[in-house]
Amino acid sequence: MSINNVYQPTAENLARAAEAIKSGKLVSFPTDTVYGLGANVYNAQAVANIFKAKERPLFDPLISHIAEIDFLPEYVETDSRVMDLARHFWPGPLTFVLKRKDNNPSIDLACAGLGSLAVRMPNHPVALALIKQSGVPIVAPSANKFKTVSPTTAQHVQDSLGDKVDMILEGGACKIGVETTIIDLTGKQVTILRAGGLAREDLEDFLGEKVLINDTSSSRPTAPGQLLKHYAPKLPLRINVEEKDVKEDEFFIAFGTTKRQANINLSKKGDLCEAAANLFAAFVRSRSQFVCCFKRG
Ligand code: AMP
Ligand code: MG
């Protein structure tokens, strides 16, 4: 039995939770849709711990939660349509997929290395207070194991991930109880990538134009096939080569201790979470260089 990690959202506990987020720990908190499992987006190790706790595949990107609309242009590429949508529908169950700014490579893992980033503002006082006090965007997928039912009470989180989180903030039962509607705003045409708590008609009424629904998961930009293509190195990729097989002109991405000098070592101590945190940055570096080689870990 794990210890009970559920805390009332008092000023003291919120301050403690914000410190936990800042220092790279995981905090579960209520939102308008479901309970989230939160981490500091700029801390790749903390983000990797989310994937590990949820047993979520690394190619499935996370949504960043922010507390102030004015922060949006600092974080992602925006235009007047984006800002108008934000002012109208936020805080609420609507997530935007927007183009990333190039200046923040530390969020590679949260974005699964895509050139776009998902962001939203949740409509829940506890979530907003936590994000504000943490001073960073908080990535927060639902606080449950991958492919299991999303949690709508603190007790659900305690039951499934209680031993994986530092704190669970109590916020009552979530009002909406289904995931957010996700819209792609990277192109001219607004497209729903995932149906959720906000209706298509509400978007169409506000925009005064048709909103498409992209319901074929195979064409989603987050699909693993496309992700692999996104990362396709210019030269061949060799996986699980032995150290002795690495050729002089190859880019050697190692894991664990190696005799041979590696171009990048994902985790010298053989820690899978640390390796996950470094994986996308390693791909980006190697992509423009030589062949990538993984040593069998
Ligand atoms: P959730 O599991 O509710 O946190 O939502 C995460 C989902 O948001 C992912 O499974 C994707 O479907 C979607 N998503 C997150 N980031 C992106 C992105 N950059 N591009 C497209 N979809 C995204
Ligand atoms: Mg989910």
Side-chain angles (χ1 to χ4, degrees):
M1 261 281 286
S2 60
I3 49 159
N4 195 319
N5 275 341
V6 179
Y7 293 82
Q8 290 303 318
T10 58
E12 197 185 321
N13 286 338
L14 272 168
R16 210 182 126 191
E19 278 310 312
I21 289 283
K22 275 193 247 179
S23 67
K25 299 200 172 114
L26 302 188
V27 173
S28 176
F29 59 93
T31 76
D32 40 355
T33 57
V34 299
Y35 273 72
L37 179 63
N40 174 355
V41 70
Y42 299 123
N43 186 323
Q45 178 72 55
V47 178
N49 285 336
I50 286 190
F51 285 97
K52 186 177 174 203
K54 279 184 64 79
E55 297 168 19
R56 178 173 170 126
L58 288 174
F59 57 75
D60 195 0
L62 304 177
I63 297 171
S64 291
H65 293 66
I66 64 170
E68 272 151 81
I69 292 174
D70 289 345
F71 175 69
L72 198 55
E74 285 177 41
Y75 193 44
V76 275
E77 297 291 345
T78 55
D79 55 23
S80 56
R81 180 183 64 175
V82 171
M83 297 308 284
D84 288 349
L85 279 163
R87 282 188 208 101
H88 188 77
F89 289 107
W90 283 1
L94 179 65
T95 298
F96 300 165
V97 170
L98 296 164
K99 285 198 186 117
R100 275 175 65 174
K101 290 204 159 172
D102 293 331
N103 57 6
N104 48 10
S106 63
I107 63 172
D108 272 341
L109 184 61
C111 299
L114 294 166
S116 58
L117 180 144
V119 59
R120 85 168 191 113
M121 188 189 296
N123 190 9
H124 197 293
V126 174
L128 293 172
L130 178 66
I131 301 163
K132 272 191 198 144
Q133 288 191 38
S134 305
V136 291
I138 299 182
V139 275
S142 50
N144 56 308
K145 291 243 162 98
F146 189 60
K147 289 191 172 162
T148 64
V149 179
S150 295
T152 51
T153 66
Q155 190 59 45
H156 288 165
V157 183
Q158 171 66 33
D159 293 344
S160 65
L161 294 177
D163 55 342
K164 305 271 195 308
V165 294
D166 204 52
M167 292 176 80
I168 302 165
L169 289 172
E170 175 63 78
C174 300
K175 288 208 176 80
I176 299 175
V178 294
E179 327 290 283
T180 58
T181 298
I182 302 179
I183 53 172
D184 183 353
L185 293 173
T186 57
K188 212 163 168 302
Q189 172 67 54
V190 179
T191 308
I192 294 182
L193 300 176
R194 177 181 75 187
L198 186 81
R200 174 195 200 175
E201 291 73 21
D202 292 339
L203 285 165
E204 290 184 333
D205 283 351
F206 180 75
L207 289 166
E209 63 183 49
K210 279 258 157 253
V211 169
L212 297 187
I213 296 192
N214 180 358
D215 56 0
T216 49
S217 53
S218 60
S219 65
R220 294 255 301 262
T222 51
Q226 282 181 285
L227 186 67
L228 288 177
K229 188 162 176 236
H230 177 79
Y231 276 115
K234 296 226 167 68
L235 290 168
L237 171 73
R238 296 204 293 134
I239 293 177
N240 267 348
V241 291
E242 295 293 338
E243 237 175 293
K244 60 182 168 31
D245 299 334
V246 180
K247 301 191 181 84
E248 279 312 312
D249 62 347
E250 289 183 338
F251 191 87
F252 180 28
I253 300 176
F255 176 73
T257 47
T258 53
K259 287 199 195 91
R260 193 188 180 97
Q261 174 74 28
N263 295 82
I264 295 176
N265 195 315
L266 294 179
S267 169
K268 283 195 178 140
K269 54 178 192 269
D271 179 316
L272 279 174
C273 254
E274 188 185 12
N278 292 328
L279 181 66
F280 286 110
F283 272 174
V284 171
R285 266 186 68 189
S286 60
R287 188 169 46 178
S288 57
Q289 299 190 38
F290 309 110
V291 182
C292 321
C293 305
F294 291 100
K295 178 187 179 289
R296 204 188 309 274

PDB file of all heavy atoms in Angstrom, residues 184-212:
ATOM      1  N   ASP A 184      -5.921  21.972 -34.335  1.00  0.00           N
ATOM      2  CA  ASP A 184      -4.671  22.291 -35.008  1.00  0.00           C
ATOM      3  C   ASP A 184      -4.781  23.703 -35.581  1.00  0.00           C
ATOM      4  O   ASP A 184      -5.644  23.977 -36.423  1.00  0.00           O
ATOM      5  CB  ASP A 184      -4.447  21.269 -36.134  1.00  0.00           C
ATOM      6  CG  ASP A 184      -3.130  21.479 -36.853  1.00  0.00           C
ATOM      7  OD1 ASP A 184      -2.452  22.494 -36.558  1.00  0.00           O
ATOM      8  OD2 ASP A 184      -2.785  20.633 -37.692  1.00  0.00           O
ATOM      9  N   LEU A 185      -3.920  24.582 -35.090  1.00  0.00           N
ATOM     10  CA  LEU A 185      -3.921  25.971 -35.569  1.00  0.00           C
ATOM     11  C   LEU A 185      -2.622  26.301 -36.304  1.00  0.00           C
ATOM     12  O   LEU A 185      -2.256  27.464 -36.425  1.00  0.00           O
ATOM     13  CB  LEU A 185      -4.102  26.930 -34.383  1.00  0.00           C
ATOM     14  CG  LEU A 185      -5.455  26.895 -33.668  1.00  0.00           C
ATOM     15  CD1 LEU A 185      -5.426  27.756 -32.410  1.00  0.00           C
ATOM     16  CD2 LEU A 185      -6.559  27.370 -34.596  1.00  0.00           C
ATOM     17  N   THR A 186      -1.946  25.269 -36.784  1.00  0.00           N
ATOM     18  CA  THR A 186      -0.658  25.521 -37.447  1.00  0.00           C
ATOM     19  C   THR A 186      -0.834  25.963 -38.900  1.00  0.00           C
ATOM     20  O   THR A 186       0.083  26.493 -39.497  1.00  0.00           O
ATOM     21  CB  THR A 186       0.259  24.279 -37.417  1.00  0.00           C
ATOM     22  OG1 THR A 186      -0.450  23.203 -38.038  1.00  0.00           O
ATOM     23  CG2 THR A 186       0.653  23.891 -36.008  1.00  0.00           C
ATOM     24  N   GLY A 187      -2.019  25.686 -39.473  1.00  0.00           N
ATOM     25  CA  GLY A 187      -2.248  26.086 -40.870  1.00  0.00           C
ATOM     26  C   GLY A 187      -3.445  27.015 -40.964  1.00  0.00           C
ATOM     27  O   GLY A 187      -3.976  27.469 -39.941  1.00  0.00           O
ATOM     28  N   LYS A 188      -3.878  27.277 -42.189  1.00  0.00           N
ATOM     29  CA  LYS A 188      -4.994  28.195 -42.407  1.00  0.00           C
ATOM     30  C   LYS A 188      -6.301  27.563 -41.910  1.00  0.00           C
ATOM     31  O   LYS A 188      -7.115  28.196 -41.249  1.00  0.00           O
ATOM     32  CB  LYS A 188      -5.100  28.480 -43.912  1.00  0.00           C
ATOM     33  CG  LYS A 188      -5.607  29.849 -44.241  1.00  0.00           C
ATOM     34  CD  LYS A 188      -5.280  30.195 -45.695  1.00  0.00           C
ATOM     35  CE  LYS A 188      -6.007  31.419 -46.168  1.00  0.00           C
ATOM     36  NZ  LYS A 188      -7.442  31.415 -46.105  1.00  0.00           N
ATOM     37  N   GLN A 189      -6.476  26.277 -42.249  1.00  0.00           N
ATOM     38  CA  GLN A 189      -7.706  25.560 -41.904  1.00  0.00           C
ATOM     39  C   GLN A 189      -7.660  25.073 -40.447  1.00  0.00           C
ATOM     40  O   GLN A 189      -6.728  24.375 -40.049  1.00  0.00           O
ATOM     41  CB  GLN A 189      -7.852  24.345 -42.843  1.00  0.00           C
ATOM     42  CG  GLN A 189      -8.976  23.393 -42.472  1.00  0.00           C
ATOM     43  CD  GLN A 189     -10.361  24.018 -42.647  1.00  0.00           C
ATOM     44  OE1 GLN A 189     -10.697  24.510 -43.711  1.00  0.00           O
ATOM     45  NE2 GLN A 189     -11.158  23.988 -41.583  1.00  0.00           N
ATOM     46  N   VAL A 190      -8.661  25.447 -39.668  1.00  0.00           N
ATOM     47  CA  VAL A 190      -8.731  24.937 -38.294  1.00  0.00           C
ATOM     48  C   VAL A 190      -9.289  23.514 -38.326  1.00  0.00           C
ATOM     49  O   VAL A 190     -10.334  23.268 -38.934  1.00  0.00           O
ATOM     50  CB  VAL A 190      -9.628  25.845 -37.420  1.00  0.00           C
ATOM     51  CG1 VAL A 190      -9.723  25.299 -35.999  1.00  0.00           C
ATOM     52  CG2 VAL A 190      -9.093  27.267 -37.417  1.00  0.00           C
ATOM     53  N   THR A 191      -8.582  22.593 -37.705  1.00  0.00           N
ATOM     54  CA  THR A 191      -8.980  21.188 -37.742  1.00  0.00           C
ATOM     55  C   THR A 191      -9.010  20.615 -36.335  1.00  0.00           C
ATOM     56  O   THR A 191      -8.087  20.852 -35.541  1.00  0.00           O
ATOM     57  CB  THR A 191      -7.953  20.374 -38.580  1.00  0.00           C
ATOM     58  OG1 THR A 191      -7.806  21.018 -39.835  1.00  0.00           O
ATOM     59  CG2 THR A 191      -8.400  18.944 -38.788  1.00  0.00           C
ATOM     60  N   ILE A 192     -10.071  19.866 -36.051  1.00  0.00           N
ATOM     61  CA  ILE A 192     -10.146  19.189 -34.747  1.00  0.00           C
ATOM     62  C   ILE A 192      -9.338  17.898 -34.818  1.00  0.00           C
ATOM     63  O   ILE A 192      -9.607  17.028 -35.643  1.00  0.00           O
ATOM     64  CB  ILE A 192     -11.612  18.897 -34.360  1.00  0.00           C
ATOM     65  CG1 ILE A 192     -12.359  20.220 -34.120  1.00  0.00           C
ATOM     66  CG2 ILE A 192     -11.680  17.991 -33.124  1.00  0.00           C
ATOM     67  CD1 ILE A 192     -13.804  20.070 -33.694  1.00  0.00           C
ATOM     68  N   LEU A 193      -8.327  17.789 -33.967  1.00  0.00           N
ATOM     69  CA  LEU A 193      -7.499  16.575 -33.941  1.00  0.00           C
ATOM     70  C   LEU A 193      -8.077  15.541 -32.987  1.00  0.00           C
ATOM     71  O   LEU A 193      -7.867  14.352 -33.147  1.00  0.00           O
ATOM     72  CB  LEU A 193      -6.066  16.903 -33.504  1.00  0.00           C
ATOM     73  CG  LEU A 193      -5.290  17.887 -34.388  1.00  0.00           C
ATOM     74  CD1 LEU A 193      -3.931  18.185 -33.771  1.00  0.00           C
ATOM     75  CD2 LEU A 193      -5.115  17.307 -35.784  1.00  0.00           C
ATOM     76  N   ARG A 194      -8.760  16.042 -31.949  1.00  0.00           N
ATOM     77  CA  ARG A 194      -9.422  15.134 -31.005  1.00  0.00           C
ATOM     78  C   ARG A 194     -10.680  15.825 -30.500  1.00  0.00           C
ATOM     79  O   ARG A 194     -10.624  16.954 -30.026  1.00  0.00           O
ATOM     80  CB  ARG A 194      -8.492  14.825 -29.822  1.00  0.00           C
ATOM     81  CG  ARG A 194      -9.158  13.933 -28.775  1.00  0.00           C
ATOM     82  CD  ARG A 194      -8.245  13.641 -27.604  1.00  0.00           C
ATOM     83  NE  ARG A 194      -8.107  14.779 -26.710  1.00  0.00           N
ATOM     84  CZ  ARG A 194      -7.273  14.826 -25.685  1.00  0.00           C
ATOM     85  NH1 ARG A 194      -6.476  13.804 -25.436  1.00  0.00           N
ATOM     86  NH2 ARG A 194      -7.223  15.880 -24.903  1.00  0.00           N
ATOM     87  N   ALA A 195     -11.817  15.135 -30.620  1.00  0.00           N
ATOM     88  CA  ALA A 195     -13.069  15.678 -30.085  1.00  0.00           C
ATOM     89  C   ALA A 195     -13.025  15.573 -28.568  1.00  0.00           C
ATOM     90  O   ALA A 195     -12.470  14.618 -28.020  1.00  0.00           O
ATOM     91  CB  ALA A 195     -14.249  14.887 -30.646  1.00  0.00           C
ATOM     92  N   GLY A 196     -13.595  16.539 -27.878  1.00  0.00           N
ATOM     93  CA  GLY A 196     -13.558  16.516 -26.412  1.00  0.00           C
ATOM     94  C   GLY A 196     -14.577  17.473 -25.831  1.00  0.00           C
ATOM     95  O   GLY A 196     -15.663  17.658 -26.389  1.00  0.00           O
ATOM     96  N   GLY A 197     -14.201  18.095 -24.720  1.00  0.00           N
ATOM     97  CA  GLY A 197     -15.130  18.883 -23.908  1.00  0.00           C
ATOM     98  C   GLY A 197     -15.726  20.110 -24.567  1.00  0.00           C
ATOM     99  O   GLY A 197     -16.694  20.668 -24.052  1.00  0.00           O
ATOM    100  N   LEU A 198     -15.177  20.589 -25.686  1.00  0.00           N
ATOM    101  CA  LEU A 198     -15.770  21.748 -26.366  1.00  0.00           C
ATOM    102  C   LEU A 198     -16.303  21.319 -27.735  1.00  0.00           C
ATOM    103  O   LEU A 198     -15.608  20.654 -28.494  1.00  0.00           O
ATOM    104  CB  LEU A 198     -14.724  22.858 -26.552  1.00  0.00           C
ATOM    105  CG  LEU A 198     -15.317  24.144 -27.123  1.00  0.00           C
ATOM    106  CD1 LEU A 198     -15.993  24.978 -26.032  1.00  0.00           C
ATOM    107  CD2 LEU A 198     -14.255  24.985 -27.820  1.00  0.00           C
ATOM    108  N   ALA A 199     -17.562  21.728 -28.031  1.00  0.00           N
ATOM    109  CA  ALA A 199     -18.210  21.264 -29.265  1.00  0.00           C
ATOM    110  C   ALA A 199     -17.666  21.996 -30.491  1.00  0.00           C
ATOM    111  O   ALA A 199     -17.321  23.185 -30.437  1.00  0.00           O
ATOM    112  CB  ALA A 199     -19.713  21.497 -29.167  1.00  0.00           C
ATOM    113  N   ARG A 200     -17.641  21.265 -31.595  1.00  0.00           N
ATOM    114  CA  ARG A 200     -17.229  21.830 -32.892  1.00  0.00           C
ATOM    115  C   ARG A 200     -18.073  23.059 -33.248  1.00  0.00           C
ATOM    116  O   ARG A 200     -17.559  24.070 -33.734  1.00  0.00           O
ATOM    117  CB  ARG A 200     -17.420  20.731 -33.941  1.00  0.00           C
ATOM    118  CG  ARG A 200     -17.198  21.146 -35.349  1.00  0.00           C
ATOM    119  CD  ARG A 200     -17.778  20.067 -36.241  1.00  0.00           C
ATOM    120  NE  ARG A 200     -17.244  20.095 -37.578  1.00  0.00           N
ATOM    121  CZ  ARG A 200     -17.530  19.185 -38.509  1.00  0.00           C
ATOM    122  NH1 ARG A 200     -18.298  18.166 -38.223  1.00  0.00           N
ATOM    123  NH2 ARG A 200     -17.023  19.282 -39.699  1.00  0.00           N
ATOM    124  N   GLU A 201     -19.397  22.979 -32.966  1.00  0.00           N
ATOM    125  CA  GLU A 201     -20.305  24.090 -33.323  1.00  0.00           C
ATOM    126  C   GLU A 201     -19.898  25.379 -32.606  1.00  0.00           C
ATOM    127  O   GLU A 201     -19.998  26.468 -33.177  1.00  0.00           O
ATOM    128  CB  GLU A 201     -21.760  23.748 -32.951  1.00  0.00           C
ATOM    129  CG  GLU A 201     -22.396  22.657 -33.784  1.00  0.00           C
ATOM    130  CD  GLU A 201     -21.871  21.251 -33.471  1.00  0.00           C
ATOM    131  OE1 GLU A 201     -21.309  21.048 -32.356  1.00  0.00           O
ATOM    132  OE2 GLU A 201     -21.984  20.368 -34.335  1.00  0.00           O
ATOM    133  N   ASP A 202     -19.449  25.256 -31.366  1.00  0.00           N
ATOM    134  CA  ASP A 202     -19.035  26.457 -30.629  1.00  0.00           C
ATOM    135  C   ASP A 202     -17.852  27.120 -31.321  1.00  0.00           C
ATOM    136  O   ASP A 202     -17.762  28.348 -31.398  1.00  0.00           O
ATOM    137  CB  ASP A 202     -18.657  26.109 -29.180  1.00  0.00           C
ATOM    138  CG  ASP A 202     -19.874  25.682 -28.384  1.00  0.00           C
ATOM    139  OD1 ASP A 202     -21.000  26.025 -28.784  1.00  0.00           O
ATOM    140  OD2 ASP A 202     -19.700  24.978 -27.367  1.00  0.00           O
ATOM    141  N   LEU A 203     -16.950  26.292 -31.820  1.00  0.00           N
ATOM    142  CA  LEU A 203     -15.785  26.827 -32.533  1.00  0.00           C
ATOM    143  C   LEU A 203     -16.223  27.478 -33.841  1.00  0.00           C
ATOM    144  O   LEU A 203     -15.780  28.576 -34.184  1.00  0.00           O
ATOM    145  CB  LEU A 203     -14.792  25.701 -32.845  1.00  0.00           C
ATOM    146  CG  LEU A 203     -13.975  25.188 -31.665  1.00  0.00           C
ATOM    147  CD1 LEU A 203     -13.307  23.859 -32.005  1.00  0.00           C
ATOM    148  CD2 LEU A 203     -12.918  26.227 -31.267  1.00  0.00           C
ATOM    149  N   GLU A 204     -17.099  26.783 -34.552  1.00  0.00           N
ATOM    150  CA  GLU A 204     -17.559  27.303 -35.854  1.00  0.00           C
ATOM    151  C   GLU A 204     -18.312  28.615 -35.676  1.00  0.00           C
ATOM    152  O   GLU A 204     -18.131  29.553 -36.446  1.00  0.00           O
ATOM    153  CB  GLU A 204     -18.422  26.261 -36.566  1.00  0.00           C
ATOM    154  CG  GLU A 204     -17.579  25.081 -37.027  1.00  0.00           C
ATOM    155  CD  GLU A 204     -18.352  24.046 -37.829  1.00  0.00           C
ATOM    156  OE1 GLU A 204     -19.577  23.939 -37.631  1.00  0.00           O
ATOM    157  OE2 GLU A 204     -17.714  23.340 -38.628  1.00  0.00           O
ATOM    158  N   ASP A 205     -19.169  28.691 -34.646  1.00  0.00           N
ATOM    159  CA  ASP A 205     -19.917  29.923 -34.390  1.00  0.00           C
ATOM    160  C   ASP A 205     -18.960  31.083 -34.151  1.00  0.00           C
ATOM    161  O   ASP A 205     -19.149  32.185 -34.649  1.00  0.00           O
ATOM    162  CB  ASP A 205     -20.811  29.767 -33.151  1.00  0.00           C
ATOM    163  CG  ASP A 205     -22.057  28.952 -33.483  1.00  0.00           C
ATOM    164  OD1 ASP A 205     -22.274  28.683 -34.684  1.00  0.00           O
ATOM    165  OD2 ASP A 205     -22.778  28.561 -32.549  1.00  0.00           O
ATOM    166  N   PHE A 206     -17.934  30.800 -33.362  1.00  0.00           N
ATOM    167  CA  PHE A 206     -17.002  31.878 -33.030  1.00  0.00           C
ATOM    168  C   PHE A 206     -16.156  32.291 -34.226  1.00  0.00           C
ATOM    169  O   PHE A 206     -15.968  33.482 -34.493  1.00  0.00           O
ATOM    170  CB  PHE A 206     -16.091  31.456 -31.872  1.00  0.00           C
ATOM    171  CG  PHE A 206     -15.119  32.529 -31.491  1.00  0.00           C
ATOM    172  CD1 PHE A 206     -15.534  33.650 -30.782  1.00  0.00           C
ATOM    173  CD2 PHE A 206     -13.786  32.449 -31.876  1.00  0.00           C
ATOM    174  CE1 PHE A 206     -14.652  34.663 -30.469  1.00  0.00           C
ATOM    175  CE2 PHE A 206     -12.889  33.466 -31.563  1.00  0.00           C
ATOM    176  CZ  PHE A 206     -13.330  34.576 -30.852  1.00  0.00           C
ATOM    177  N   LEU A 207     -15.682  31.285 -34.993  1.00  0.00           N
ATOM    178  CA  LEU A 207     -14.779  31.588 -36.109  1.00  0.00           C
ATOM    179  C   LEU A 207     -15.529  32.059 -37.358  1.00  0.00           C
ATOM    180  O   LEU A 207     -14.959  32.685 -38.240  1.00  0.00           O
ATOM    181  CB  LEU A 207     -13.949  30.348 -36.472  1.00  0.00           C
ATOM    182  CG  LEU A 207     -12.872  29.934 -35.453  1.00  0.00           C
ATOM    183  CD1 LEU A 207     -12.381  28.519 -35.753  1.00  0.00           C
ATOM    184  CD2 LEU A 207     -11.703  30.918 -35.479  1.00  0.00           C
ATOM    185  N   GLY A 208     -16.806  31.681 -37.428  1.00  0.00           N
ATOM    186  CA  GLY A 208     -17.588  31.999 -38.623  1.00  0.00           C
ATOM    187  C   GLY A 208     -17.119  31.228 -39.837  1.00  0.00           C
ATOM    188  O   GLY A 208     -17.214  31.710 -40.971  1.00  0.00           O
ATOM    189  N   GLU A 209     -16.575  30.059 -39.611  1.00  0.00           N
ATOM    190  CA  GLU A 209     -16.137  29.202 -40.731  1.00  0.00           C
ATOM    191  C   GLU A 209     -16.191  27.733 -40.323  1.00  0.00           C
ATOM    192  O   GLU A 209     -16.290  27.417 -39.131  1.00  0.00           O
ATOM    193  CB  GLU A 209     -14.712  29.572 -41.173  1.00  0.00           C
ATOM    194  CG  GLU A 209     -13.682  29.339 -40.083  1.00  0.00           C
ATOM    195  CD  GLU A 209     -12.274  29.767 -40.471  1.00  0.00           C
ATOM    196  OE1 GLU A 209     -12.126  30.892 -40.971  1.00  0.00           O
ATOM    197  OE2 GLU A 209     -11.340  28.995 -40.230  1.00  0.00           O
ATOM    198  N   LYS A 210     -16.121  26.853 -41.329  1.00  0.00           N
ATOM    199  CA  LYS A 210     -16.184  25.408 -41.081  1.00  0.00           C
ATOM    200  C   LYS A 210     -14.908  24.944 -40.374  1.00  0.00           C
ATOM    201  O   LYS A 210     -13.810  25.382 -40.690  1.00  0.00           O
ATOM    202  CB  LYS A 210     -16.293  24.638 -42.399  1.00  0.00           C
ATOM    203  CG  LYS A 210     -17.697  24.588 -42.948  1.00  0.00           C
ATOM    204  CD  LYS A 210     -18.304  23.193 -42.645  1.00  0.00           C
ATOM    205  CE  LYS A 210     -19.814  23.208 -42.643  1.00  0.00           C
ATOM    206  NZ  LYS A 210     -20.497  23.117 -41.390  1.00  0.00           N
ATOM    207  N   VAL A 211     -15.097  24.059 -39.419  1.00  0.00           N
ATOM    208  CA  VAL A 211     -13.946  23.445 -38.754  1.00  0.00           C
ATOM    209  C   VAL A 211     -13.938  21.979 -39.156  1.00  0.00           C
ATOM    210  O   VAL A 211     -14.960  21.296 -39.030  1.00  0.00           O
ATOM    211  CB  VAL A 211     -14.076  23.606 -37.214  1.00  0.00           C
ATOM    212  CG1 VAL A 211     -13.053  22.766 -36.489  1.00  0.00           C
ATOM    213  CG2 VAL A 211     -13.952  25.075 -36.832  1.00  0.00           C
ATOM    214  N   LEU A 212     -12.839  21.498 -39.685  1.00  0.00           N
ATOM    215  CA  LEU A 212     -12.771  20.098 -40.127  1.00  0.00           C
ATOM    216  C   LEU A 212     -12.495  19.183 -38.946  1.00  0.00           C
ATOM    217  O   LEU A 212     -11.968  19.611 -37.918  1.00  0.00           O
ATOM    218  CB  LEU A 212     -11.667  19.922 -41.165  1.00  0.00           C
ATOM    219  CG  LEU A 212     -11.820  20.678 -42.477  1.00  0.00           C
ATOM    220  CD1 LEU A 212     -10.719  20.264 -43.452  1.00  0.00           C
ATOM    221  CD2 LEU A 212     -13.195  20.405 -43.109  1.00  0.00           C
TER     222      LEU A 212
END
